[in-house]
Amino acid sequence: MTIYRFLRLFLFWACLPHFCSPELTFRRTPGPQKMPSDTRVPRSEGKILHRQKRGWMWNQFFLLEEYTGSDYQYVGKLHSDQDKGDGSLKYILSGDGAGTLFIIDEKTGDIHATRRIDREEKAFYTLRAQAINRRTLRPVEPESEFVIKIHDINDNEPTFPEEIYTASVPEMSVVGTSVVQVTATDADDPSYGNSARVIYSILQGQPYFSVEPETGIIRTALPNMNRENREQYQVVIQAKDMGGQMGGLSGTTTVNITLTDVNDNPPRFPQNTIHLRVLESSPVGTAVGSVKATDADTGKNAEVEYRIIDGDGTDMFDIITEKDTQEGIITVKKPLDYESRRLYTLKVEAENTHVDPRFYYLGPFKDTTIVKISIEDVDEPPVFSRSSYLFEVHEDIEVGTIIGTVMARDPDSTSSPIRFTLDRHTDLDRIFNIHSGNGSLYTSKPLDRELSQWHNLTVIAAEINNPKETTRVAVFVRILDVNDNAPQFAVFYDTFVCENARPGQLIQTISAVDKDDPLGGQKFFFSLAAVNPNFTVQDNEDNTARILTRKNGFNRHEISTYLLPVVISDNDYPIQSSTGTLTIRVCACDGQGNMQSCSAEALLLPAGLSTGALIAILLCIIILLVIVVLFAALKRQRKKEPLILSKEDIRDNIVSYNDEGGGEEDTQAFDIGTLRNPAAIEEKKLRRDIIPETLFIPRRTPTAPDNTDVRDFINERLKEHDLDPTAPPYDSLATYAYEGNDSIAESLSSLESGTTEGDQNYDYLREWGPRFNKLAEMYGGGESDKDA
């Protein structure tokens, strides 16, 4: 392969015209001009033409890329007409790659390339050449510029920007439908030869697709490609340079083509008949089952709408389209009854919602199926003949009277017996009861419309064979009125008559009420129970009456109050009546008939003194009496003798354990004779400064001999008291009750108040009148108590 490629490059290089001909084109270089001796002067239009001397003989050099020879590649030759061939001139090269990529022979001017050159890296090089005198180093020619152009060879294959392309085209597309365009690029020189001329061809994907050789556009090649048969295709495209000729370089890419869906398939039910079952107890809205029509399309092209178009169950069932699953859900539209009908037939249609008119020829995009729904029997609860019952009954019926009957049946084919009960939560007073077998309601207590006009009951019906199956029904009992209540006064009347009243004067208008409610409305009649010489009643015939006087003047001192019985009757059957008594007071009135006073004692009071003033005076007297009583009680307590009168009060210092004593001069602290005479201790006398012990019996101590020393006696008694739990000390009264001498308030304690004799005589209370007799009896017995 290497030899073949080398020969190909060599032949290409050999065929290039003027490949190393540096003298085909001459270029005049600026500089001093010299006229040669053999200059010819032609005549032209009267002018003498002079031939000028050329400084350089030179050409644009061409170099073949990718040279593979072992020697340096010859580029061209620089030559100056000043060169006599004696080696006096020196050629110098500068510019792009001079000295490295390109070198020049200083004597001959031959230029060589030192290594392989890639045109795709750099297409041409610009260099400058100069000839100088080798001895003087002065230029003999001005510096000139020339170009080395790199000739292209076909060393780059076409490449695609993507290794794998993804494209799509609708299924059933016509032949020649454009799918996608792929483009390959070639790095070779498009302006030289056919190295960069690319031709496209398809290596894989026939006969489904084709590609345009010049443009790379991929098109469909077969008609009616069906996505449902095959959806994915892989196409391999080749791009070849040199115009697709033999020897050209090539590159490939892969195009994955997907057929997109169109609505070219109608929905189809997998079965002609579908069987479903549902319980008769299923409530409205219960899903019975589902039906589904299959569609080979996808997405919106497979969307289906379901509807019931025929059948004997169109009013009993409905169908709903489930968008997510594309199913038709059949639901219960009305309550079902196994005993009425056990089988329903529906004709269900499924139709595409998005139809493409291009494919109408493929047939109607809809399908139908038959759905048969079987109703299954369940044990249903009893059913009442009515949704509710209303019974009316008079309140005067006897206990045990049947007021109505409720009826229920078992809707099942077995027809189980029914048992009736009354919900006692709706009849807490147990006024009604029901026969469990036939559903007859009857009273168990008397009825009273005035207490309750309506009774709302609930009756429960249950199957005897299956008590869990129950049904409730509301029973409304209305109590009808019976005239069993007599009319009465509407309010309590406070009636008075003036002393200066005249005959026929109106003193009161009365009205009545009745708990009964007759259909025609209330109608009352008023009359007197007996003829009364003082008053009379006049019926206004509007359920009110007027009380009028019959005589001239009344005297409250003779009769202060009159009682007037009034008979009130109603107009219903049976007629009810009652007697109400009016209390009429006789009062003093002014000239306009306004009441001033109705009490006979009021005449004894001084003129101008009102009742309020009398009450105020009475309260003041009571307050003064209470103040006097309190003052007397406080004074009595203040005069009581204190428990301890003075500091000279004799104490038994043995029990005063915290008393430090008065020293040797203290002769009043205790009686020293008691210590000398032990027999005196045995006398049990109550002490006034300690709490007497009543729970323990004091023990007797043996008497000491008369000549017992005082010290021994004290030590012995001290030991006894240390071991005696009933021995003092106790709190002394003097600690809490004694306030000391010279106290103005003296003692406030009531202790030993019975010993004081002064100010204990309360006989003065008897002088205050009968109102203080009770106090005198309480405090006046002091003398008798003392005597006793």
Side-chain angles (χ1 to χ4, degrees):
M1 184 65 186
T2 305
I3 296 174
Y4 170 76
R5 185 176 183 186
F6 173 76
L7 292 174
R8 186 180 63 180
L9 293 175
F10 176 76
L11 291 174
F12 179 76
W13 171 79
C15 294
L16 290 175
H18 54 267
F19 175 70
C20 290
S21 177
E23 296 182 0
L24 291 178
T25 302
F26 292 89
R27 179 183 176 187
R28 180 181 178 275
T29 60
Q33 304 297 325
K34 295 181 181 181
M35 292 293 292
S37 58
D38 58 348
T39 302
R40 296 178 181 180
V41 181
R43 296 179 181 272
S44 179
E45 296 179 1
K47 296 182 179 180
I48 298 176
L49 299 179
H50 300 278
R51 182 183 176 186
Q52 296 182 355
K53 181 182 178 180
R54 297 179 185 276
W56 284 96
M57 291 184 299
W58 105 295
N59 199 333
Q60 180 179 13
F61 299 108
F62 292 91
L63 184 64
L64 191 65
E65 69 169 334
E66 301 292 345
Y67 173 72
T68 59
S70 58
D71 296 333
Y72 290 164
Q73 185 180 5
Y74 181 72
V75 178
K77 184 180 181 64
L78 297 179
H79 180 72
S80 174
D81 56 359
Q82 300 292 328
D83 188 356
K84 302 300 183 181
D86 56 359
S88 62
L89 293 182
K90 179 182 180 181
Y91 293 97
I92 299 174
L93 188 64
S94 63
D96 293 341
T100 56
L101 180 57
F102 301 101
I103 59 176
I104 189 171
D105 190 333
E106 295 179 353
K107 294 180 180 182
T108 63
D110 293 331
I111 302 173
H112 290 82
T114 61
R115 60 180 176 84
R116 297 171 58 183
I117 298 175
D118 189 1
R119 189 202 66 84
E120 284 71 40
E121 292 183 1
K122 194 172 179 67
F124 62 90
Y125 295 86
T126 302
L127 295 95
R128 292 178 298 278
Q130 193 176 29
I132 63 175
N133 189 292
R134 188 181 294 277
R135 184 174 56 85
T136 63
L137 300 180
R138 291 183 178 181
V140 297
E141 293 286 353
E143 186 179 58
S144 296
E145 186 176 87
F146 66 96
V147 175
I148 299 176
K149 186 175 181 180
I150 311 301
H151 263 307
D152 181 49
I153 64 172
N154 189 18
D155 60 343
N156 292 279
E157 68 276 2
T159 59
F160 290 93
E162 299 288 342
E163 293 183 2
I164 298 177
Y165 288 84
T166 301
S168 62
V169 63
E171 63 173 332
M172 308 298 290
S173 297
V174 298
V175 176
T177 302
S178 175
V179 179
V180 68
Q181 182 180 16
V182 295
T183 304
T185 59
D186 196 319
D188 294 326
D189 188 1
S191 64
Y192 182 78
N194 293 326
S195 298
R197 183 187 174 192
V198 179
I199 297 298
Y200 300 94
S201 62
I202 183 168
L203 300 181
Q204 178 183 329
Q206 297 99 341
Y208 307 104
F209 299 95
S210 64
V211 63
E212 293 182 356
E214 300 292 338
T215 61
I217 298 176
I218 301 175
R219 299 182 182 274
T220 59
L222 282 181
N224 300 328
M225 285 193 294
N226 197 341
R227 183 197 66 84
E228 288 72 35
N229 295 334
R230 183 177 176 180
E231 184 176 4
Q232 299 289 337
Y233 294 87
Q234 190 175 71
V235 179
V236 178
I237 302 296
Q238 182 190 62
K240 190 174 184 179
D241 59 9
M242 297 298 292
Q245 298 177 4
M246 183 179 296
L249 303 179
S250 64
T252 61
T253 187
T254 301
V255 181
N256 292 327
I257 301 176
T258 302
L259 295 183
T260 58
D261 184 59
V262 297
N263 191 7
D264 59 340
N265 293 280
R268 291 290 180 263
F269 283 104
Q271 298 173 345
N272 294 327
T273 304
I274 300 174
H275 294 273
L276 299 176
R277 296 179 179 274
V278 63
L279 297 175
E280 65 170 331
S281 60
S282 300
V284 174
T286 302
V288 178
S290 63
V291 296
K292 185 175 183 180
T294 59
D295 194 326
D297 299 321
T298 60
K300 69 175 185 178
N301 297 321
E303 292 182 359
V304 178
E305 187 72 26
Y306 296 90
R307 64 180 65 90
I308 299 175
I309 60 175
D310 197 5
D312 54 13
T314 55
D315 58 339
M316 301 299 295
F317 299 94
D318 199 359
I319 191 167
I320 302 172
T321 302
E322 180 62 41
K323 297 298 183 181
D324 296 335
T325 61
Q326 289 298 308
E327 292 180 333
I329 309 299
I330 299 177
T331 60
V332 178
K333 189 176 181 180
K334 290 183 178 180
L336 305 174
D337 188 7
Y338 172 82
E339 288 71 29
S340 299
R341 187 160 190 170
R342 303 181 182 183
L343 180 65
Y344 292 90
T345 302
L346 305 175
K347 187 176 183 180
V348 178
E349 179 185 73
E351 182 181 11
N352 279 138
T353 56
H354 302 280
V355 180
D356 194 336
R358 296 178 299 170
F359 305 104
Y360 279 154
Y361 68 93
L362 296 178
F365 285 78
K366 62 178 69 177
D367 194 16
T368 60
T369 186
I370 301 299
V371 180
K372 293 185 177 182
I373 302 176
S374 299
I375 311 301
E376 295 184 351
D377 186 29
V378 296
D379 192 3
E380 298 177 88
V383 177
F384 283 95
S385 60
R386 301 180 189 175
S387 59
S388 63
Y389 293 87
L390 173 62
F391 299 139
E392 293 183 346
V393 60
H394 287 87
E395 61 178 327
D396 61 344
I397 64 172
E398 297 181 359
V399 174
T401 302
I402 296 177
I403 63 174
T405 301
V406 296
M407 292 181 294
R409 64 177 181 85
D410 183 8
D412 299 320
S413 57
T414 56
S415 186
S416 175
I418 305 300
R419 180 176 179 272
F420 299 93
T421 56
L422 192 61
D423 187 355
R424 288 303 175 185
H425 293 90
T426 60
D427 185 27
L428 297 177
D429 296 332
R430 295 183 176 270
I431 300 176
F432 301 93
N433 211 335
I434 190 171
H435 291 288
S436 61
N438 56 19
S440 297
L441 276 170
Y442 59 93
T443 59
S444 58
K445 290 184 179 180
L447 303 178
D448 190 353
R449 189 201 67 87
E450 286 70 40
L451 293 179
S452 179
Q453 187 175 355
W454 285 92
H455 295 275
N456 301 327
L457 309 177
T458 298
V459 175
I460 304 172
E463 295 182 11
I464 295 180
N465 298 334
N466 188 7
K468 294 182 179 179
E469 295 295 335
T470 61
T471 305
R472 294 169 172 263
V473 69
V475 178
F476 304 101
V477 180
R478 180 182 180 183
I479 309 302
L480 302 179
D481 184 44
V482 173
N483 191 24
D484 56 349
N485 292 278
Q488 298 177 349
F489 283 130
V491 295
F492 174 78
Y493 294 102
D494 185 13
T495 307
F496 71 93
V497 61
C498 295
E499 287 184 308
N500 54 359
R502 299 186 176 278
Q505 184 173 343
L506 174 65
I507 63 173
Q508 184 70 58
T509 300
I510 60 176
S511 62
V513 293
D514 195 335
K515 295 181 180 180
D516 296 323
D517 187 15
L519 296 177
Q522 298 285 0
K523 179 63 177 177
F524 301 125
F525 301 96
F526 299 89
S527 62
L528 294 179
V531 177
N532 192 294
N534 303 311
F535 306 98
T536 184
V537 60
Q538 182 177 347
D539 197 333
N540 297 326
E541 297 183 357
D542 59 354
N543 291 341
T544 62
R546 296 183 296 171
I547 305 299
L548 306 175
T549 58
R550 296 187 63 182
K551 69 175 185 177
N552 188 7
F554 294 86
N555 191 341
R556 54 176 167 163
H557 301 292
E558 296 178 356
I559 300 177
S560 61
T561 303
Y562 292 91
L563 298 178
L564 181 64
V566 178
V567 178
I568 309 173
S569 303
D570 56 23
N571 194 33
D572 202 1
Y573 179 82
I575 295 176
Q576 300 287 340
S577 63
S578 65
T579 301
T581 302
L582 283 178
T583 301
I584 304 174
R585 296 179 297 157
V586 180
C587 300
C589 303
D590 57 11
Q592 286 76 29
N594 298 321
M595 179 183 65
Q596 290 184 338
S597 175
C598 297
S599 176
E601 289 78 3
L603 299 175
L604 303 178
L605 296 177
L609 195 58
S610 63
T611 305
L614 293 176
I615 294 175
I617 294 173
L618 183 60
L619 289 176
C620 291
I621 294 174
I622 294 174
I623 292 172
L624 289 175
L625 291 177
V626 172
I627 292 174
V628 171
V629 172
L630 293 177
F631 178 76
L634 291 176
K635 184 176 180 182
R636 177 173 176 267
Q637 293 182 1
R638 191 180 304 165
K639 293 298 183 178
K640 292 180 180 179
E641 182 181 358
L643 183 61
I644 300 177
L645 299 178
S646 66
K647 293 182 179 180
E648 285 75 15
D649 188 17
I650 298 175
R651 304 295 182 91
D652 188 354
N653 286 16
I654 294 177
V655 297
S656 299
Y657 60 92
N658 59 348
D659 192 356
E660 297 181 356
E664 297 179 7
E665 297 181 355
D666 187 2
T667 58
Q668 298 180 356
F670 55 87
D671 188 6
I672 195 66
T674 304
L675 300 177
R676 297 293 183 183
N677 186 14
I681 302 176
E682 302 303 326
E683 297 180 5
K684 304 304 295 181
K685 295 182 179 180
L686 294 177
R687 293 168 54 179
R688 295 164 52 186
D689 60 343
I690 64 173
I691 300 174
E693 182 63 58
T694 59
L695 298 178
F696 300 95
I697 301 174
R699 68 178 74 178
R700 288 183 175 270
T701 58
T703 59
D706 294 341
N707 59 353
T708 302
D709 188 63
V710 174
R711 179 181 298 173
D712 295 338
F713 175 79
I714 292 175
N715 290 334
E716 184 179 355
R717 293 295 179 267
L718 181 60
K719 183 178 180 181
E720 289 180 3
H721 284 281
D722 288 341
L723 298 177
D724 188 5
T726 63
Y730 298 102
D731 288 341
S732 177
L733 293 176
T735 304
Y736 306 97
Y738 184 63
E739 295 183 1
N741 295 331
D742 299 328
S743 175
I744 301 176
E746 298 181 353
S747 177
L748 297 178
S749 175
S750 61
L751 298 176
E752 297 195 69
S753 60
T755 59
T756 59
E757 296 182 2
D759 297 331
Q760 296 298 317
N761 188 1
Y762 294 97
D763 291 339
Y764 58 87
L765 294 175
R766 301 182 183 277
E767 301 175 359
W768 287 6
R771 296 181 182 273
F772 296 90
N773 290 338
K774 188 64 177 178
L775 290 176
E777 293 177 359
M778 294 173 59
Y779 291 94
E783 295 296 335
S784 60
D785 294 340
K786 285 184 180 181
D787 296 339

